[in-house]
Amino acid sequence: MPLFIEGRRVQLPQSVREIVRAHPPLEERAKLLRGQSVQLVGPKGLLYVQQRELAVTSPKDGSISILGSDDATTCHIVVLRHTGNGATCMTHCDGSDTKTEVPLIMKSLKSLSNHTQNGRLEVHLVGGFNDDRQLSQKLTNQLLNEFDRQEDDIHLMTFCVTAINIKTAEIFRASFPERGPEEELRSARSLTGGPMINIYDAKTEQLHIGPYFWMPFPHVDFWLQQDDKQLLENLSTSPLAEPPHFVSHIRSTLMFLKKYPFPGNSLFPGNRALLYKKNEGGLWEKISSPGS
């Protein structure tokens, strides 16, 4: 089934500029969102989604009220929501395997949404800029084409989103001082080429991390000896657009990979996932893995 905007079938391929020109409400909604002040979102009730991660939940979730992600320079943040029951999936795509990732997004959302209910699927896309290598434009086109190939009708609502309130469906600009739990571990998985994964079980309201496996990061000592400028220019797809914390984040992830060249039992005792659940204060708290 096709991709729709304002009830009209989107004819692909088209450039983003052509799509926006043909559908002025998209541009108006994007302008309104870009004009918002950035809200500082604390850890209470937040599930932060890193690159190559996805998370799905619904308004019934007693632990999570906000799904959030940021730092999408050439990446795109995708939000897919079923309007009938409010089931919502957020993911941070980098173009590594869009053809596999979009069906995974659809499958993950359907696991929580009952399609006999009234409502429809709505998708929101954000991220990217007019970069010299055209990486952003390529990813935008990949996402549009893959959503257009899905068997369900999907309605494209906006090109500007960074966080969503699960309870109210409010979409807003946001920044996140805390990106845990296990921020370095999750970043290490992404930096070493791990695929897109679902990190959250809305039925148990638990965050599942691992077990992961990676090979030693190539030339990690060499990279750790480089200055900030070299790291920025060589380990970013968009050196001129990265946030101020990009280099410190990459450096801490490299140090983590040097310390743990093979994750194994040192990070995942008994080869079991690390499980986290929100406590009464709304913060993540580590819980015992099954059988531990």
Side-chain angles (χ1 to χ4, degrees):
M1 291 291 181
L3 188 67
F4 291 88
I5 303 177
E6 303 297 322
R8 293 159 55 191
R9 169 75 194 271
V10 181
Q11 298 298 328
L12 298 174
Q14 283 190 77
S15 70
V16 171
R17 184 171 295 178
E18 289 170 331
I19 291 173
V20 171
R21 188 183 297 131
H23 304 278
L26 274 183
E27 186 171 16
E28 290 304 311
R29 284 197 289 267
K31 283 181 179 177
L32 286 172
L33 285 166
R34 285 200 306 269
Q36 289 182 359
S37 57
V38 175
Q39 298 185 39
L40 195 68
V41 176
K44 187 174 181 179
L46 169 68
L47 200 173
Y48 183 83
V49 179
Q50 287 203 25
Q51 189 170 332
R52 298 192 190 177
E53 292 182 344
L54 69 82
V56 187
T57 190
S58 77
K60 295 179 181 178
D61 195 317
S63 299
I64 302 300
S65 55
I66 303 288
L67 291 176
S69 192
D70 59 3
D71 292 355
T73 51
T74 55
C75 293
H76 282 35
I77 297 162
V78 179
V79 173
L80 183 67
R81 182 174 180 271
H82 190 277
T83 62
N85 66 359
T88 304
C89 176
M90 175 176 277
T91 185
H92 189 131
C93 298
D94 61 7
S96 56
D97 192 3
T98 308
K99 188 170 287 191
T100 301
E101 291 166 0
V102 169
L104 178 60
I105 293 168
M106 297 291 294
K107 181 180 178 182
S108 300
L109 185 77
K110 287 179 180 180
S111 70
L112 271 193
S113 59
N114 180 357
H115 279 262
T116 61
Q117 294 179 326
N118 292 329
R120 66 183 193 178
L121 291 172
E122 295 183 345
V123 66
H124 308 260
L125 306 177
V126 67
F129 65 104
N130 192 18
D131 60 286
D132 293 340
R133 296 159 62 191
Q134 303 289 296
L135 295 174
S136 301
Q137 291 88 331
K138 181 181 177 183
L139 179 52
T140 301
N141 291 332
Q142 287 175 350
L143 286 166
L144 290 173
N145 284 319
E146 289 307 317
F147 277 113
D148 191 51
R149 289 192 180 105
Q150 303 307 304
E151 62 183 23
D152 300 271
D153 290 353
I154 302 170
H155 298 260
L156 178 63
M157 302 302 294
T158 182
F159 273 111
C160 191
V161 55
T162 52
I164 182 164
N165 186 311
I166 306 305
K167 312 300 184 187
T168 66
E170 178 196 3
I171 289 166
F172 58 95
R173 296 180 64 197
S175 64
F176 309 95
E178 296 187 35
R179 296 180 170 92
E182 306 287 355
E183 180 181 2
E184 290 178 339
L185 171 55
R186 293 158 67 190
S187 297
R189 186 197 71 87
S190 172
L191 192 61
T192 53
M196 178 73 69
I197 55 167
N198 190 343
I199 60 169
Y200 186 67
D201 184 343
K203 293 172 184 174
T204 60
E205 300 184 4
Q206 292 179 0
L207 184 70
H208 292 240
I209 300 174
Y212 304 146
F213 176 80
W214 56 70
M215 296 295 288
F217 192 81
H219 314 297
V220 66
D221 289 321
F222 167 81
W223 289 116
L224 284 170
Q225 291 167 6
Q226 304 309 301
D227 59 25
D228 289 358
K229 183 172 181 288
Q230 289 297 319
L231 288 180
L232 184 62
E233 290 179 352
N234 289 281
L235 296 181
S236 167
T237 57
S238 50
L240 299 178
E242 295 292 359
H245 59 259
F246 173 82
V247 171
S248 61
H249 173 73
I250 283 289
R251 198 176 289 280
S252 66
T253 305
L254 289 170
M255 290 174 68
F256 185 89
L257 285 167
K258 180 178 179 178
K259 184 176 180 180
Y260 301 103
F262 298 99
N265 271 335
S266 56
L267 294 175
F268 303 103
N271 200 36
R272 289 188 294 267
L274 307 181
L275 302 181
Y276 283 83
K277 193 174 177 71
K278 292 285 187 178
N279 61 23
E280 291 182 359
L283 305 179
W284 290 115
E285 192 172 87
K286 196 170 185 179
I287 60 175
S288 298
S289 300
S292 64

